[in-house]
Amino acid sequence: MTEPAFLVLTALVDEPRHGYGIAQEVERLSGGRVQLKIGTLYGVLDRLAADALVEPDREEVRQGRLRRYYRLTDEGARALEEEAVRLADNAHRAVERLRLRQVGGLA
């Protein structure tokens, strides 16, 4: 799973969001490190929807513009959890190896 996909799924955990809201939440979650351009965002959303990890929630018109909201599916929540566990395990292994290196346990 790519980092943008991981962050988009994470942004949708607590509530459905429209595109701009997702982009803002991704930027907030990443501490400003990841700023999704609209084309990239909708490419990620299209792939996640094709994999049934997100789905449209509703559409509404605001100030003459259509906003499509997306929500996380149960399958998307499972995929996000699996990826979060995988990343945490990898990070834990890296930290442990770095500690061993610092004390001279790894060459």
Side-chain angles (χ1 to χ4, degrees):
M1 180 180 298
T2 65
E3 183 178 26
F6 180 84
L7 290 170
V8 166
L9 291 175
T10 303
L12 293 172
V13 166
D14 57 343
E15 65 183 353
R17 287 186 160 81
H18 57 81
Y20 182 68
I22 294 169
Q24 286 182 311
E25 186 66 7
V26 164
E27 186 173 349
R28 190 188 71 74
L29 287 167
S30 69
R33 194 176 42 77
V34 177
Q35 297 175 355
L36 295 176
K37 293 184 165 89
I38 292 300
T40 302
L41 171 63
Y42 283 102
V44 170
L45 284 169
D46 287 345
R47 286 189 296 281
L48 293 172
D51 292 339
L53 303 181
V54 302
E55 62 189 9
D57 181 67
R58 68 186 183 279
E59 293 180 345
E60 62 183 39
V61 177
R62 286 271 175 111
Q63 299 174 342
R65 299 187 73 174
L66 180 67
R67 284 186 175 175
R68 178 174 291 138
Y69 286 74
Y70 293 86
R71 70 172 166 238
L72 185 67
T73 64
D74 290 341
E75 189 173 335
R78 281 190 296 276
L80 177 61
E81 183 175 12
E82 288 172 9
E83 184 67 1
V85 168
R86 186 187 73 79
L87 290 171
D89 185 52
N90 287 344
H92 175 75
R93 289 173 197 262
V95 168
E96 287 302 312
R97 291 183 65 97
L98 286 165
R99 283 190 188 131
L100 285 172
R101 183 177 189 268
Q102 289 173 351
V103 296
L106 285 177

